[in-house]
Amino acid sequence: MGLDFSVVPGFFDVILQGVFWTIAITVSAAVLSFFGGIFFAVIALYAPRAISWPMKGFEWLFMGTPLLLQLFLIYFGLIQIGIDLPAFVAGFVGLGLHFAVYNSELIQTAILAVDKGQMEAARTLGLSRGQALRYIVIPQAVRDVIPPIGNNMIALLKDSALVSVIGVSELTLSAQLAIGRTYRPFEFYAVVAVCYYIINLGMEAVLRRLERRVQASR
């Protein structure tokens, strides 16, 4: 049985729906991972031990276990304690927290690399510690880690395929639905691979533009 891509146009609506949900869950998880990474970094570096140590345990849990298991725990496990999350919410929360932990490690290193004299100068000018972090230290730290965080966002896009196992109709699940009706796996997986590649190129273009703007603002 040879290849037959003529079956693909009949499922364009399914594929486009998958593209939409892939982009939606990637963007949602990316935003959560970015701001979550900043939050985790600040807690780890400046919070009292009674707060920072449990947070480190939380980070260890997300760094030391597979992302797929984390998605299962959030979607299927939380419902046993009364927290029933929709598949999309469970998907982007799982992805977002997973990558927030890795972003936190990058941001912590960048914060520690900021000259301590800047914090002292800000405090001398009357800023509180929180204000100094918000307006002086964290913006500089984040600016320095845009490239590696961008790499994490590309990895997040690729790992978004895992949310298909909890029922989110992103690209991979959309392809599986089409394959189930046509029995043409190669054709649809090839189309989905091209879609991922195009989305990836778009993300890389956005990240490069952001990096150029950050460099120009130095």
Side-chain angles (χ1 to χ4, degrees):
M1 183 172 62
L3 298 179
D4 182 12
F5 283 93
S6 65
V7 300
V8 173
F11 292 87
F12 271 162
D13 57 334
V14 176
I15 299 300
L16 290 175
Q17 182 184 44
V19 169
F20 171 81
W21 286 113
T22 292
I23 294 174
I25 203 163
T26 298
V27 171
S28 301
V31 172
L32 177 59
S33 70
F34 178 74
F35 290 103
I38 295 174
F39 176 76
F40 292 160
V42 171
I43 293 296
L45 292 176
Y46 299 104
R49 288 188 177 183
I51 299 175
S52 63
W53 279 103
M55 182 62 69
K56 289 179 180 179
F58 173 84
E59 291 183 349
W60 176 86
L61 175 66
F62 272 79
M63 294 184 74
T65 57
L67 174 56
L68 184 59
L69 176 61
Q70 294 162 21
L71 291 172
F72 283 153
L73 284 172
I74 292 171
Y75 186 60
F76 297 111
L78 291 181
I79 195 172
Q80 293 184 306
I81 59 173
I83 303 175
D84 186 8
L85 298 177
F88 178 84
V89 175
F92 91 75
V93 168
L95 283 169
L97 291 178
H98 182 84
F99 283 92
V101 169
Y102 290 95
N103 288 343
S104 172
E105 295 293 315
L106 296 171
I107 294 169
Q108 286 181 54
T109 302
I111 288 175
L112 293 174
V114 174
D115 187 352
K116 293 182 179 180
Q118 296 197 41
M119 171 67 83
E120 295 172 359
R123 297 300 299 274
T124 301
L125 292 173
L127 273 67
S128 67
R129 191 179 198 180
Q131 290 174 325
L133 284 171
R134 179 180 177 183
Y135 296 112
I136 307 297
V137 177
I138 291 176
Q140 293 184 66
V142 169
R143 182 180 61 189
D144 292 336
V145 294
I146 289 297
I149 286 180
N151 292 335
N152 282 348
M153 298 303 97
I154 298 298
L156 190 156
L157 166 64
K158 297 173 183 177
D159 285 348
S160 68
L162 291 175
V163 302
S164 62
V165 300
I166 60 173
V168 180
S169 298
E170 46 68 71
L171 271 169
T172 302
L173 184 57
S174 296
Q176 292 170 350
L177 294 174
I179 291 165
R181 294 175 61 181
T182 62
Y183 302 101
R184 291 283 179 175
F186 184 88
E187 288 88 338
F188 283 100
Y189 283 138
V191 170
V192 165
V194 171
C195 290
Y196 274 115
Y197 185 70
I198 293 172
I199 297 171
N200 189 40
L201 288 178
M203 285 188 65
E204 289 180 350
V206 171
L207 290 169
R208 283 196 298 269
R209 182 174 181 180
L210 179 60
E211 289 175 25
R212 288 196 295 268
R213 292 187 63 178
V214 168
Q215 292 296 329
S217 67
R218 287 177 180 270

